[in-house]
Amino acid sequence: MNALPPVVLDLDDSIGPLAGELRIPLQERQEALRFGCGLGVMRGLAETLDARLPAFERHGTVFMGSGDFHHLSWPLVARSARGRERGSLRVVVFDNHPDNMRFPFGVHCGSWVRRVALLPEVRQVLVVGITSGDIGWRHAWENQLKPLRAGKLQYWSVGVDTGWSRWLGLGAAFRTFADTEALSEALARHLREQPAPTYLSIDKDVFAPEVVRTNWDQGRLLESQALRILEALGGQIVGSDVTGEVSAYRYRTAWKRWLSAQDGQDTAIDPVQLADWQAGQHAFNQRLLEHMARVG
């Protein structure tokens, strides 16, 4: 699928030009969609994607801009799931965070995974590369436990104490590793041994800062380790998206300003530093497309 033209959902002007791209300008929806939105707003976006995107078999990786837009993966996964048999689609998410947290106002960039796990066509969601304390015992109550208990969601993490999961009988949903090398080896083996049609979603905050810079707290995954996982998925990827660009934005909506501040997203980025980070992001995006084209 990745020899097909990449798609840019251009919400925040953060994504540089990509060869052969289909670019859809959506800047007017940035305020409504960024960080989180109501379900009606998300339905409106899904309708727009249906109207403006070719069938998912005829386009490649979708780039969505800042990690503040990762919840847009939900309608993209839903598009690729249509017409598939029940329980036939696997979803692999590269992310430093579980994105399975409670959120009472619709859906946001940290809560969308539960929505994907509820899709009947989805067999299981694997969120891999987590180093965030979001899955530690202090935040256990914030995690949506139902998809973990049902076996539809697994966390693959590094360096996080997840002992609380065993107290609640959820140990099978947590795979914990000493380092990203061990995680990438185990995951690559798992994906080769259990092939399945797979939707791949990459939030670049999963990577170590020396690989690429984002403005979220970052994980430890190396590019070579990600490539090992991609190679194990050779011939299995049926859809994909990428978030984690760096962009600066000041919300007009007070509740979004408050919630984003709780996640440390209210810190201004120096314009020179922003330009440097975005140049690194652009180079990484091009390498990522090359990697994905090689594995098919």
Side-chain angles (χ1 to χ4, degrees):
M1 62 155 287
N2 290 296
L4 297 171
V7 172
V8 175
L9 302 183
D10 197 355
L11 290 137
D12 61 355
D13 302 310
S14 65
I15 305 163
L18 301 170
E21 69 177 32
L22 168 62
R23 185 171 291 254
I24 300 176
L26 294 168
Q27 290 90 340
E28 77 282 357
R29 301 197 191 191
Q30 179 168 193
E31 176 72 21
L33 287 168
R34 189 164 184 147
F35 194 79
C37 64
L39 299 183
V41 172
M42 187 60 81
R43 281 193 295 270
L45 174 70
E47 291 169 359
T48 296
L49 296 179
D50 284 341
R52 301 183 67 175
L53 284 178
F56 80 92
E57 302 95 337
R58 293 193 284 116
H59 69 75
T61 302
V62 179
F63 289 79
M64 303 184 294
S66 166
D68 291 354
F69 297 109
H70 205 174
H71 48 303
L72 275 57
S73 293
W74 174 25
L76 292 170
V77 176
R79 290 183 87 243
S80 71
R82 286 179 199 157
R84 297 188 181 276
E85 293 181 5
R86 187 180 186 91
S88 64
L89 182 66
R90 175 171 59 201
V91 180
V92 175
V93 183
F94 285 32
D95 206 308
N96 191 41
H97 309 88
D99 286 5
N100 179 48
M101 312 301 274
R102 300 180 188 279
F103 184 68
F105 308 114
V107 62
H108 82 320
C109 57
S111 70
W112 65 276
V113 161
R114 171 182 167 271
R115 303 279 179 176
V116 167
L118 286 172
L119 295 172
E121 299 88 353
V122 171
R123 175 200 304 177
Q124 192 176 48
V125 183
L126 309 180
V127 184
V128 303
I130 303 169
T131 68
S132 164
D134 285 352
I135 62 169
W137 69 269
R138 293 180 185 276
H139 296 276
W141 67 273
E142 296 177 65
N143 285 258
Q144 295 277 1
L145 301 184
K146 187 174 181 179
L148 294 163
R149 185 171 288 115
K152 292 201 72 174
L153 175 61
Q154 276 190 346
Y155 295 157
W156 292 56
S157 65
V158 171
V160 185
D161 182 357
T162 59
W164 65 271
S165 64
R166 294 188 293 276
W167 306 338
L168 299 181
L170 299 172
F174 288 71
R175 301 287 304 275
T176 304
F177 298 86
D179 52 44
T180 52
E181 183 68 12
L183 182 150
S184 63
E185 286 182 358
L187 180 58
R189 184 168 56 251
H190 172 81
L191 296 172
R192 281 193 297 267
E193 292 174 352
Q194 300 187 36
T198 300
Y199 187 99
L200 176 64
S201 180
I202 299 175
D203 187 334
K204 287 179 283 185
D205 70 11
V206 77
F207 291 102
E210 61 266 28
V211 177
V212 66
R213 288 301 302 261
T214 78
N215 58 325
W216 284 87
D217 58 300
Q218 293 190 230
R220 306 177 196 169
L221 195 69
L222 302 180
E223 189 170 345
S224 59
Q225 295 164 347
L227 182 55
R228 175 186 297 155
I229 297 167
L230 292 178
E231 289 172 344
L233 279 170
Q236 300 181 52
I237 299 174
V238 297
S240 58
D241 65 56
V242 177
T243 64
E245 311 296 322
V246 183
S247 62
Y249 187 71
R250 171 70 175 173
Y251 293 100
R252 298 190 300 272
T253 311
W255 71 267
K256 287 192 175 187
R257 287 199 301 272
W258 183 81
L259 283 175
S260 64
Q262 307 313 301
D263 275 326
Q265 300 303 297
D266 59 341
T267 303
I269 305 173
D270 176 78
V272 175
Q273 185 179 64
L274 177 61
D276 181 61
W277 287 3
Q278 287 181 336
Q281 287 268 3
H282 181 60
F284 184 82
N285 288 343
Q286 293 176 314
R287 295 198 305 276
L288 188 57
L289 283 175
E290 291 170 2
H291 292 328
M292 295 182 73
R294 281 198 296 271
V295 304

